[in-house]
Amino acid sequence: MTNDKISLNGVEVFPFDSEEELLNYINKFKGILVAINAEKILHATEETRAIINRNVGYCDGIGAVLALKRKGYKNVVKIPGCELWLKIIHQLYQEGKSFYLVGGKQEVIEFTVAKLRKEFPGISIVNYRNGYIKTREEREALLKDVAKKKPDVVFVAMGSPKQELLMEEMQERHIAVYQGLGGSFDVYTGAVKRAPAWWVEHGLEWAYRLVKQPSRIKRQIHLVYFLWLLGIGKI
C-alpha cells in the first residue's frame, strides 16, 4: 500500500491490501474509520466527504474495490466492517484498551455487550447505549459521557450519515479510534443473517441481500449506476 489516499469522485480512500495493514495503521492513528462503498462515493455530501477525507476511508464494498483496481491498485481488498470491529477488539482488548458502544435497539445493544463479555473475558466496556438519540439533550449527555469515560475505541452502529456526524462530534470532545458499524450489532447477535461465505468471497454479498430483501432494489440501482460510470471512466 501507499500512504497516499486515492480520490474516487472526491472521496479519499486508502488502498489497503489486507486487514492486517489497516489494523497496523490504527495502532498509530486516532480518528474515524469509515467504510466506503459505491453509495458513499456517489452520494457523499460536502460535510460527510470532508469527514471521510480527514480520516480513514477503507473499502467495505465491491464498487470501491473495483474502482481502486481500475486505478492500478491491484492488491486492494474488501474489508467488511462487520468483521473488522471484532478484529480490532481482539487485537486491543488484550492490551487493556477500553471500548464504548453506541447503536441498535436496547435489546440488541444489551445482547451485544453480554456476548462480547463472554467471548472476550476481561474486556473493558466503559459504557454503552442504544442508537435512538431523540433529543439534543440526550446527544449532549452522550458526548459528555464519552469525554468523561475516555474510551480508547468507540463503535457507533447507527447507519450513514448519522453515525459519521455523531462520531465527528465525539471526536471534537475526545480523541480515540472510532468506527461506524451500520447494522453490525444486528449481524453479531444473529438478529440479521449475513450472506453465506461463498457469496461474500465472490463479492456478491450485495446480490444475496437483494435476494433476501427485494426492497433494497432502490439502493442496489446505485451500484449499477456506479459500475456504469466506472466503465466509461467517470470515476
CSV table of all heavy atoms in Angstrom, one decimal, residues 208-235:
chain,number,residue,atom,x,y,z
A,208,TYR,N,-26.9,-11.2,-2.6
A,208,TYR,CA,-27.6,-12.1,-1.7
A,208,TYR,C,-28.6,-11.3,-0.9
A,208,TYR,O,-29.7,-11.7,-0.6
A,208,TYR,CB,-26.6,-12.8,-0.8
A,208,TYR,CG,-27.2,-13.6,0.3
A,208,TYR,CD1,-27.5,-15.0,0.0
A,208,TYR,CD2,-27.4,-13.2,1.6
A,208,TYR,CE1,-28.1,-15.8,1.0
A,208,TYR,CE2,-28.0,-14.0,2.5
A,208,TYR,CZ,-28.3,-15.3,2.2
A,208,TYR,OH,-28.9,-16.1,3.2
A,209,ARG,N,-28.1,-10.1,-0.4
A,209,ARG,CA,-29.0,-9.2,0.4
A,209,ARG,C,-30.2,-8.8,-0.4
A,209,ARG,O,-31.3,-8.6,0.1
A,209,ARG,CB,-28.2,-8.1,0.9
A,209,ARG,CG,-27.1,-8.5,1.9
A,209,ARG,CD,-26.3,-7.3,2.3
A,209,ARG,NE,-27.0,-6.4,3.2
A,209,ARG,CZ,-26.5,-5.2,3.6
A,209,ARG,NH1,-25.2,-4.9,3.3
A,209,ARG,NH2,-27.1,-4.4,4.4
A,210,LEU,N,-30.0,-8.6,-1.7
A,210,LEU,CA,-31.1,-8.2,-2.6
A,210,LEU,C,-32.1,-9.3,-2.7
A,210,LEU,O,-33.3,-9.0,-2.7
A,210,LEU,CB,-30.5,-7.7,-3.9
A,210,LEU,CG,-31.6,-7.2,-5.0
A,210,LEU,CD1,-32.4,-6.1,-4.4
A,210,LEU,CD2,-30.9,-6.9,-6.3
A,211,VAL,N,-31.6,-10.5,-2.9
A,211,VAL,CA,-32.5,-11.7,-3.0
A,211,VAL,C,-33.3,-11.8,-1.7
A,211,VAL,O,-34.5,-12.1,-1.8
A,211,VAL,CB,-31.7,-13.0,-3.3
A,211,VAL,CG1,-32.6,-14.2,-3.1
A,211,VAL,CG2,-31.1,-12.9,-4.6
A,212,LYS,N,-32.7,-11.6,-0.6
A,212,LYS,CA,-33.4,-11.8,0.7
A,212,LYS,C,-34.3,-10.6,1.0
A,212,LYS,O,-35.3,-10.7,1.7
A,212,LYS,CB,-32.4,-12.0,1.8
A,212,LYS,CG,-31.6,-13.3,1.7
A,212,LYS,CD,-32.6,-14.5,1.9
A,212,LYS,CE,-31.8,-15.8,1.9
A,212,LYS,NZ,-32.7,-16.9,2.1
A,213,GLN,N,-33.9,-9.4,0.5
A,213,GLN,CA,-34.6,-8.1,0.8
A,213,GLN,C,-34.9,-7.4,-0.5
A,213,GLN,O,-34.1,-6.4,-0.8
A,213,GLN,CB,-33.9,-7.2,1.8
A,213,GLN,CG,-33.7,-7.8,3.2
A,213,GLN,CD,-32.9,-6.8,4.0
A,213,GLN,OE1,-31.7,-6.9,4.1
A,213,GLN,NE2,-33.6,-5.9,4.7
A,214,PRO,N,-35.8,-7.8,-1.3
A,214,PRO,CA,-36.1,-7.2,-2.6
A,214,PRO,C,-36.3,-5.7,-2.5
A,214,PRO,O,-36.1,-4.9,-3.4
A,214,PRO,CB,-37.3,-7.9,-3.1
A,214,PRO,CG,-37.3,-9.2,-2.5
A,214,PRO,CD,-36.7,-9.0,-1.1
A,215,SER,N,-36.7,-5.2,-1.3
A,215,SER,CA,-37.0,-3.8,-1.1
A,215,SER,C,-35.7,-3.0,-1.2
A,215,SER,O,-35.7,-1.7,-1.4
A,215,SER,CB,-37.6,-3.5,0.3
A,215,SER,OG,-36.7,-4.0,1.3
A,216,ARG,N,-34.5,-3.6,-1.2
A,216,ARG,CA,-33.2,-2.9,-1.4
A,216,ARG,C,-32.9,-2.6,-2.8
A,216,ARG,O,-31.9,-2.0,-3.1
A,216,ARG,CB,-32.1,-3.8,-0.8
A,216,ARG,CG,-32.1,-4.1,0.7
A,216,ARG,CD,-31.0,-5.0,1.1
A,216,ARG,NE,-29.7,-4.4,0.8
A,216,ARG,CZ,-29.1,-3.6,1.6
A,216,ARG,NH1,-29.6,-3.2,2.8
A,216,ARG,NH2,-27.9,-3.1,1.3
A,217,ILE,N,-33.8,-2.9,-3.7
A,217,ILE,CA,-33.6,-2.7,-5.1
A,217,ILE,C,-33.2,-1.2,-5.4
A,217,ILE,O,-32.3,-0.9,-6.3
A,217,ILE,CB,-34.7,-3.1,-6.0
A,217,ILE,CG1,-34.4,-3.0,-7.5
A,217,ILE,CG2,-36.0,-2.3,-5.7
A,217,ILE,CD1,-33.3,-3.9,-8.0
A,218,LYS,N,-33.9,-0.3,-4.7
A,218,LYS,CA,-33.6,1.2,-5.0
A,218,LYS,C,-32.1,1.5,-4.6
A,218,LYS,O,-31.5,2.3,-5.3
A,218,LYS,CB,-34.6,2.0,-4.2
A,218,LYS,CG,-36.0,2.0,-4.7
A,218,LYS,CD,-36.9,2.9,-3.9
A,218,LYS,CE,-38.3,2.8,-4.4
A,218,LYS,NZ,-39.3,3.7,-3.6
A,219,ARG,N,-31.7,0.9,-3.6
A,219,ARG,CA,-30.3,1.1,-3.2
A,219,ARG,C,-29.3,0.4,-4.1
A,219,ARG,O,-28.3,1.0,-4.5
A,219,ARG,CB,-30.0,0.6,-1.8
A,219,ARG,CG,-30.7,1.4,-0.7
A,219,ARG,CD,-30.3,1.0,0.7
A,219,ARG,NE,-28.9,1.2,0.9
A,219,ARG,CZ,-28.2,0.9,2.1
A,219,ARG,NH1,-28.9,0.3,3.1
A,219,ARG,NH2,-27.0,1.1,2.2
A,220,GLN,N,-29.6,-0.8,-4.6
A,220,GLN,CA,-28.7,-1.5,-5.5
A,220,GLN,C,-28.6,-0.9,-6.9
A,220,GLN,O,-27.7,-1.1,-7.6
A,220,GLN,CB,-29.1,-3.0,-5.6
A,220,GLN,CG,-29.1,-3.7,-4.2
A,220,GLN,CD,-27.8,-3.6,-3.5
A,220,GLN,OE1,-26.8,-3.2,-4.1
A,220,GLN,NE2,-27.7,-4.0,-2.2
A,221,ILE,N,-29.7,-0.2,-7.3
A,221,ILE,CA,-29.6,0.6,-8.5
A,221,ILE,C,-28.4,1.5,-8.5
A,221,ILE,O,-27.7,1.7,-9.6
A,221,ILE,CB,-30.9,1.3,-8.8
A,221,ILE,CG1,-32.0,0.3,-9.2
A,221,ILE,CG2,-30.7,2.3,-9.9
A,221,ILE,CD1,-33.4,0.9,-9.3
A,222,HIS,N,-28.1,2.0,-7.4
A,222,HIS,CA,-26.9,2.9,-7.3
A,222,HIS,C,-25.6,2.2,-7.6
A,222,HIS,O,-24.7,2.8,-8.3
A,222,HIS,CB,-26.8,3.5,-5.9
A,222,HIS,CG,-27.9,4.4,-5.4
A,222,HIS,ND1,-28.4,5.4,-6.2
A,222,HIS,CD2,-28.7,4.3,-4.4
A,222,HIS,CE1,-29.4,6.0,-5.6
A,222,HIS,NE2,-29.6,5.4,-4.5
A,223,LEU,N,-25.5,0.9,-7.3
A,223,LEU,CA,-24.3,0.2,-7.6
A,223,LEU,C,-24.2,0.0,-9.1
A,223,LEU,O,-23.2,0.1,-9.7
A,223,LEU,CB,-24.3,-1.2,-6.9
A,223,LEU,CG,-23.2,-2.2,-7.2
A,223,LEU,CD1,-21.8,-1.5,-6.9
A,223,LEU,CD2,-23.3,-3.5,-6.5
A,224,VAL,N,-25.4,-0.3,-9.8
A,224,VAL,CA,-25.4,-0.5,-11.2
A,224,VAL,C,-24.9,0.8,-11.9
A,224,VAL,O,-24.1,0.8,-12.8
A,224,VAL,CB,-26.8,-0.9,-11.7
A,224,VAL,CG1,-26.8,-0.9,-13.2
A,224,VAL,CG2,-27.2,-2.3,-11.1
A,225,TYR,N,-25.5,1.9,-11.4
A,225,TYR,CA,-25.1,3.2,-12.0
A,225,TYR,C,-23.6,3.5,-11.7
A,225,TYR,O,-22.9,4.0,-12.6
A,225,TYR,CB,-26.0,4.3,-11.3
A,225,TYR,CG,-25.7,5.7,-11.8
A,225,TYR,CD1,-25.7,6.1,-13.2
A,225,TYR,CD2,-25.3,6.7,-10.9
A,225,TYR,CE1,-25.4,7.4,-13.6
A,225,TYR,CE2,-25.0,8.0,-11.3
A,225,TYR,CZ,-25.1,8.3,-12.6
A,225,TYR,OH,-24.8,9.6,-13.1
A,226,PHE,N,-23.2,3.2,-10.6
A,226,PHE,CA,-21.7,3.3,-10.2
A,226,PHE,C,-20.9,2.5,-11.2
A,226,PHE,O,-19.9,3.1,-11.7
A,226,PHE,CB,-21.5,2.9,-8.8
A,226,PHE,CG,-20.1,3.0,-8.3
A,226,PHE,CD1,-19.6,4.2,-7.8
A,226,PHE,CD2,-19.2,1.9,-8.4
A,226,PHE,CE1,-18.2,4.3,-7.4
A,226,PHE,CE2,-17.9,2.0,-8.0
A,226,PHE,CZ,-17.4,3.2,-7.5
A,227,LEU,N,-21.2,1.3,-11.4
A,227,LEU,CA,-20.4,0.4,-12.3
A,227,LEU,C,-20.4,1.0,-13.7
A,227,LEU,O,-19.4,0.9,-14.4
A,227,LEU,CB,-20.9,-1.0,-12.2
A,227,LEU,CG,-20.7,-1.7,-10.9
A,227,LEU,CD1,-21.4,-3.1,-10.9
A,227,LEU,CD2,-19.3,-1.8,-10.5
A,228,TRP,N,-21.6,1.5,-14.1
A,228,TRP,CA,-21.6,2.1,-15.5
A,228,TRP,C,-20.7,3.4,-15.6
A,228,TRP,O,-19.9,3.5,-16.5
A,228,TRP,CB,-23.1,2.6,-15.8
A,228,TRP,CG,-23.2,3.2,-17.1
A,228,TRP,CD1,-23.1,2.7,-18.4
A,228,TRP,CD2,-23.4,4.6,-17.3
A,228,TRP,NE1,-23.3,3.6,-19.3
A,228,TRP,CE2,-23.4,4.8,-18.8
A,228,TRP,CE3,-23.5,5.8,-16.5
A,228,TRP,CZ2,-23.6,6.1,-19.3
A,228,TRP,CZ3,-23.7,7.0,-17.1
A,228,TRP,CH2,-23.7,7.2,-18.5
A,229,LEU,N,-20.7,4.2,-14.5
A,229,LEU,CA,-19.8,5.4,-14.5
A,229,LEU,C,-18.3,4.9,-14.5
A,229,LEU,O,-17.5,5.5,-15.2
A,229,LEU,CB,-20.1,6.2,-13.3
A,229,LEU,CG,-21.4,7.0,-13.2
A,229,LEU,CD1,-21.5,7.7,-11.9
A,229,LEU,CD2,-21.4,8.0,-14.4
A,230,LEU,N,-18.1,3.8,-13.8
A,230,LEU,CA,-16.7,3.3,-13.7
A,230,LEU,C,-16.3,2.8,-15.1
A,230,LEU,O,-15.2,3.0,-15.5
A,230,LEU,CB,-16.7,2.2,-12.7
A,230,LEU,CG,-15.3,1.6,-12.4
A,230,LEU,CD1,-14.4,2.6,-11.8
A,230,LEU,CD2,-15.5,0.4,-11.4
A,231,GLY,N,-17.2,2.1,-15.8
A,231,GLY,CA,-16.9,1.6,-17.1
A,231,GLY,C,-16.6,2.6,-18.1
A,231,GLY,O,-15.8,2.4,-19.0
A,232,ILE,N,-17.2,3.8,-18.0
A,232,ILE,CA,-17.0,4.8,-19.0
A,232,ILE,C,-15.9,5.8,-18.5
A,232,ILE,O,-15.7,6.9,-19.1
A,232,ILE,CB,-18.3,5.6,-19.4
A,232,ILE,CG1,-18.9,6.3,-18.2
A,232,ILE,CG2,-19.3,4.6,-20.0
A,232,ILE,CD1,-20.1,7.2,-18.5
A,233,GLY,N,-15.3,5.5,-17.4
A,233,GLY,CA,-14.1,6.3,-16.9
A,233,GLY,C,-14.5,7.6,-16.2
A,233,GLY,O,-13.7,8.5,-16.1
A,234,LYS,N,-15.7,7.7,-15.7
A,234,LYS,CA,-16.2,8.9,-15.0
A,234,LYS,C,-15.8,8.9,-13.5
A,234,LYS,O,-16.1,9.8,-12.8
A,234,LYS,CB,-17.7,9.1,-15.2
A,234,LYS,CG,-18.1,9.3,-16.6
A,234,LYS,CD,-17.6,10.7,-17.1
A,234,LYS,CE,-18.1,11.0,-18.5
A,234,LYS,NZ,-17.7,12.3,-18.9
A,235,ILE,N,-15.3,7.7,-13.0
A,235,ILE,CA,-14.9,7.6,-11.6
A,235,ILE,C,-13.5,7.1,-11.5
A,235,ILE,O,-13.1,6.2,-12.2
A,235,ILE,CB,-15.8,6.7,-10.8
A,235,ILE,CG1,-17.2,7.3,-10.7
A,235,ILE,CG2,-15.2,6.4,-9.4
A,235,ILE,CD1,-18.2,6.4,-9.9
